[in-house]
Amino acid sequence: MGAVSRRSTVNLKAARERLVEELRREISDERVLRVMAKIPREAFVPRASRHLAYEDRPLPIGAGQTISQPFIIALMTQALELVGTEKVLELGTGSGYQAAILAELARQVITTERIPKLTQSAKRTLEKLGYTNIQVYLAEKTLGWQAEAPYDAIMVTAAAPRVPLELLDQLTVGGRMVIPVGSRWEQDLLYVLRQKEGFTAKNLTPCRFVPLIGEGAWSEE
Ligand code: SAH
């Protein structure tokens, strides 16, 4: 390793630790913080923006999509209260970073992505990092992934116009979902819990995500 790349590796590690300390002010789940201190976010962003990997903001990952802001990622992950036994569904693989976080905290992760190029690159990154409990699928017409349902937890990392019934159906009793719901430009991050009978929901925070596209969500344009 040359002097320059060794220096940048050290800088990134220090930046990662600083970011986690910042997150600690608002995120209390130590397991979530530990995992974010471990996973190299720089491996999930384009080479040209590696130096920005530990800024607390979303970054472009190509195809008009973004890797989400670390704070929102931490908040969504914490809300799912994973203990390690769960089967989790993620919608919107994107870079694969959120899937890696979930895979460290749950038993199995199924993640779907509608853009083939992103599916491929996320798969490659996750394989390189050695994850064996993540399955990445190219999204089908129906939201989610019926073939593996039900899920103990569902995380939707793109914004929906309403809570999709198709996804509620894919939750176990006691299963929880986090999903941004609102307009194409701004949303509320909702937490939905499936109970024996019916569902309860609460609003976690205002947020801004790229649109969830498909039947039961937004149309392409
Ligand atoms: N979780 C990602 C960020 C994803 S951005 C990460 O950690 O990097 C949201 C992603 O959702 C985009 O890549 C977009 O293509 C994808 N998406 C949009 N509609 C979708 C759908 N119906 N099913 C699966 N993925 C979808």
Side-chain angles (χ1 to χ4, degrees):
M1 201 189 279
V4 171
S5 63
R6 184 161 49 241
R7 196 182 61 212
S8 64
T9 305
V10 171
N11 285 347
L12 284 173
K13 189 164 176 288
R16 188 189 311 151
E17 283 163 11
R18 263 198 311 276
L19 172 65
V20 170
E21 285 318 303
E22 258 172 58
L23 294 177
R24 193 183 295 279
R25 287 189 225 135
E26 288 174 273
I27 302 295
S28 56
D29 188 332
E30 283 297 326
R31 294 182 71 231
V32 173
L33 293 169
R34 208 178 320 131
V35 165
M36 292 184 72
K38 169 179 165 190
I39 300 178
R41 190 168 184 257
E42 68 271 23
F44 295 88
V45 304
R47 193 169 288 278
S49 38
R50 283 201 178 166
H51 62 293
L52 302 174
Y54 297 104
E55 303 280 311
D56 191 17
R57 56 157 152 136
L59 292 169
I61 53 170
Q65 307 302 323
T66 54
I67 181 172
S68 310
Q69 179 194 356
F71 169 67
I72 288 286
I73 290 178
L75 191 75
M76 291 174 88
T77 308
Q78 171 171 273
L80 293 179
E81 298 184 311
L82 302 171
V83 300
T85 55
E86 298 86 357
K87 185 175 187 179
V88 180
L89 172 69
E90 180 198 22
L91 274 78
T93 313
S95 68
Y97 178 65
Q98 175 72 70
I101 291 175
L102 293 170
E104 298 273 353
L105 296 167
R107 177 173 56 85
Q108 186 189 3
V109 177
I110 312 288
T111 178
T112 68
E113 169 56 55
R114 64 179 286 275
I115 300 177
K117 207 177 118 240
L118 292 177
T119 312
Q120 291 313 323
S121 56
K123 259 190 203 163
R124 262 200 313 276
T125 309
L126 293 167
E127 256 162 44
K128 236 189 268 169
L129 291 174
Y131 287 98
T132 54
N133 60 337
I134 305 174
Q135 289 142 273
V136 182
Y137 294 115
L138 187 60
E140 294 177 337
K141 258 195 166 169
T142 312
L143 291 178
W145 197 257
Q146 304 268 12
E148 293 275 354
Y151 303 96
D152 304 298
I154 300 180
M155 182 183 292
V156 185
T157 66
R162 66 192 76 82
V163 178
L165 289 176
E166 299 85 335
L167 293 182
L168 293 177
D169 271 347
Q170 293 174 50
L171 277 177
T172 57
V173 171
R176 50 262 182 220
M177 170 160 72
V178 282
I179 177 170
V181 174
S183 72
R184 274 186 184 252
W185 303 278
E186 49 189 5
Q187 307 93 29
D188 287 318
L189 184 60
L190 300 188
Y191 169 90
V192 182
L193 175 66
R194 178 166 201 168
Q195 298 185 317
K196 256 205 201 116
E197 288 179 29
F199 297 86
T200 53
K202 66 180 176 196
N203 186 346
L204 300 180
T205 183
C207 59
R208 179 175 299 185
F209 279 80
V210 296
L212 183 72
I213 308 244
E215 260 173 34
W218 296 106
S219 59
E220 192 131 6
E221 49 320 324

PDB file of all heavy atoms in Angstrom, residues 44 49 69 134 157 180 186 199 202 217:
ATOM      1  N   PHE A  44     -19.327   1.378  -0.491  1.00  0.00           N
ATOM      2  CA  PHE A  44     -20.648   1.393  -1.113  1.00  0.00           C
ATOM      3  C   PHE A  44     -20.911   2.659  -1.924  1.00  0.00           C
ATOM      4  O   PHE A  44     -21.980   2.817  -2.489  1.00  0.00           O
ATOM      5  CB  PHE A  44     -21.729   1.241  -0.028  1.00  0.00           C
ATOM      6  CG  PHE A  44     -21.682  -0.084   0.681  1.00  0.00           C
ATOM      7  CD1 PHE A  44     -20.884  -0.272   1.799  1.00  0.00           C
ATOM      8  CD2 PHE A  44     -22.444  -1.162   0.218  1.00  0.00           C
ATOM      9  CE1 PHE A  44     -20.832  -1.500   2.459  1.00  0.00           C
ATOM     10  CE2 PHE A  44     -22.402  -2.386   0.868  1.00  0.00           C
ATOM     11  CZ  PHE A  44     -21.595  -2.557   1.992  1.00  0.00           C
ATOM     12  N   SER A  49     -16.360   9.724  -4.624  1.00  0.00           N
ATOM     13  CA  SER A  49     -16.915  10.370  -3.416  1.00  0.00           C
ATOM     14  C   SER A  49     -16.536   9.643  -2.123  1.00  0.00           C
ATOM     15  O   SER A  49     -17.141   9.873  -1.075  1.00  0.00           O
ATOM     16  CB  SER A  49     -18.439  10.543  -3.538  1.00  0.00           C
ATOM     17  OG  SER A  49     -19.027   9.461  -4.157  1.00  0.00           O
ATOM     18  N   GLN A  69     -28.807   9.052   4.115  1.00  0.00           N
ATOM     19  CA  GLN A  69     -28.032   9.745   5.146  1.00  0.00           C
ATOM     20  C   GLN A  69     -27.802   8.813   6.348  1.00  0.00           C
ATOM     21  O   GLN A  69     -28.750   8.176   6.823  1.00  0.00           O
ATOM     22  CB  GLN A  69     -28.836  10.970   5.585  1.00  0.00           C
ATOM     23  CG  GLN A  69     -28.180  11.775   6.662  1.00  0.00           C
ATOM     24  CD  GLN A  69     -29.141  12.775   7.293  1.00  0.00           C
ATOM     25  OE1 GLN A  69     -30.286  12.917   6.866  1.00  0.00           O
ATOM     26  NE2 GLN A  69     -28.674  13.454   8.320  1.00  0.00           N
ATOM     27  N   ILE A 134     -27.396 -12.510   2.931  1.00  0.00           N
ATOM     28  CA  ILE A 134     -28.173 -11.501   2.187  1.00  0.00           C
ATOM     29  C   ILE A 134     -28.504 -12.048   0.809  1.00  0.00           C
ATOM     30  O   ILE A 134     -27.622 -12.525   0.096  1.00  0.00           O
ATOM     31  CB  ILE A 134     -27.363 -10.196   1.990  1.00  0.00           C
ATOM     32  CG1 ILE A 134     -26.865  -9.648   3.331  1.00  0.00           C
ATOM     33  CG2 ILE A 134     -28.190  -9.152   1.244  1.00  0.00           C
ATOM     34  CD1 ILE A 134     -25.947  -8.437   3.206  1.00  0.00           C
ATOM     35  N   THR A 157     -36.705   1.726   1.800  1.00  0.00           N
ATOM     36  CA  THR A 157     -35.767   2.848   1.722  1.00  0.00           C
ATOM     37  C   THR A 157     -36.051   3.743   0.523  1.00  0.00           C
ATOM     38  O   THR A 157     -35.169   4.431   0.021  1.00  0.00           O
ATOM     39  CB  THR A 157     -34.299   2.362   1.711  1.00  0.00           C
ATOM     40  OG1 THR A 157     -34.056   1.632   0.508  1.00  0.00           O
ATOM     41  CG2 THR A 157     -34.001   1.478   2.902  1.00  0.00           C
ATOM     42  N   PRO A 180     -41.014   5.531   4.539  1.00  0.00           N
ATOM     43  CA  PRO A 180     -41.307   6.950   4.317  1.00  0.00           C
ATOM     44  C   PRO A 180     -42.583   7.084   3.482  1.00  0.00           C
ATOM     45  O   PRO A 180     -42.680   6.492   2.403  1.00  0.00           O
ATOM     46  CB  PRO A 180     -40.107   7.459   3.517  1.00  0.00           C
ATOM     47  CG  PRO A 180     -39.218   6.291   3.279  1.00  0.00           C
ATOM     48  CD  PRO A 180     -39.939   5.047   3.671  1.00  0.00           C
ATOM     49  N   GLU A 186     -41.391  15.229  -0.102  1.00  0.00           N
ATOM     50  CA  GLU A 186     -41.144  15.146   1.338  1.00  0.00           C
ATOM     51  C   GLU A 186     -42.110  14.164   1.977  1.00  0.00           C
ATOM     52  O   GLU A 186     -43.251  14.018   1.530  1.00  0.00           O
ATOM     53  CB  GLU A 186     -41.214  16.524   2.006  1.00  0.00           C
ATOM     54  CG  GLU A 186     -42.445  17.297   1.633  1.00  0.00           C
ATOM     55  CD  GLU A 186     -42.372  18.736   2.123  1.00  0.00           C
ATOM     56  OE1 GLU A 186     -41.331  19.147   2.661  1.00  0.00           O
ATOM     57  OE2 GLU A 186     -43.380  19.445   1.972  1.00  0.00           O
ATOM     58  N   PHE A 199     -53.295  -3.019  12.845  1.00  0.00           N
ATOM     59  CA  PHE A 199     -51.973  -2.411  12.819  1.00  0.00           C
ATOM     60  C   PHE A 199     -51.985  -1.125  13.637  1.00  0.00           C
ATOM     61  O   PHE A 199     -53.023  -0.481  13.739  1.00  0.00           O
ATOM     62  CB  PHE A 199     -51.595  -2.054  11.367  1.00  0.00           C
ATOM     63  CG  PHE A 199     -51.492  -3.243  10.467  1.00  0.00           C
ATOM     64  CD1 PHE A 199     -52.620  -3.759   9.823  1.00  0.00           C
ATOM     65  CD2 PHE A 199     -50.262  -3.852  10.243  1.00  0.00           C
ATOM     66  CE1 PHE A 199     -52.527  -4.864   8.997  1.00  0.00           C
ATOM     67  CE2 PHE A 199     -50.159  -4.964   9.405  1.00  0.00           C
ATOM     68  CZ  PHE A 199     -51.292  -5.468   8.776  1.00  0.00           C
ATOM     69  N   LYS A 202     -46.890   4.935  14.053  1.00  0.00           N
ATOM     70  CA  LYS A 202     -46.480   6.229  14.597  1.00  0.00           C
ATOM     71  C   LYS A 202     -45.494   6.886  13.657  1.00  0.00           C
ATOM     72  O   LYS A 202     -44.855   6.223  12.833  1.00  0.00           O
ATOM     73  CB  LYS A 202     -45.925   6.094  16.016  1.00  0.00           C
ATOM     74  CG  LYS A 202     -44.635   5.323  16.110  1.00  0.00           C
ATOM     75  CD  LYS A 202     -44.147   5.226  17.558  1.00  0.00           C
ATOM     76  CE  LYS A 202     -42.897   4.369  17.613  1.00  0.00           C
ATOM     77  NZ  LYS A 202     -42.537   3.896  18.922  1.00  0.00           N
ATOM     78  N   ALA A 217     -47.363   2.039  -5.668  1.00  0.00           N
ATOM     79  CA  ALA A 217     -46.525   3.181  -5.281  1.00  0.00           C
ATOM     80  C   ALA A 217     -46.574   4.237  -6.395  1.00  0.00           C
ATOM     81  O   ALA A 217     -47.634   4.482  -6.956  1.00  0.00           O
ATOM     82  CB  ALA A 217     -45.115   2.721  -4.974  1.00  0.00           C
TER      83      ALA A 217
END
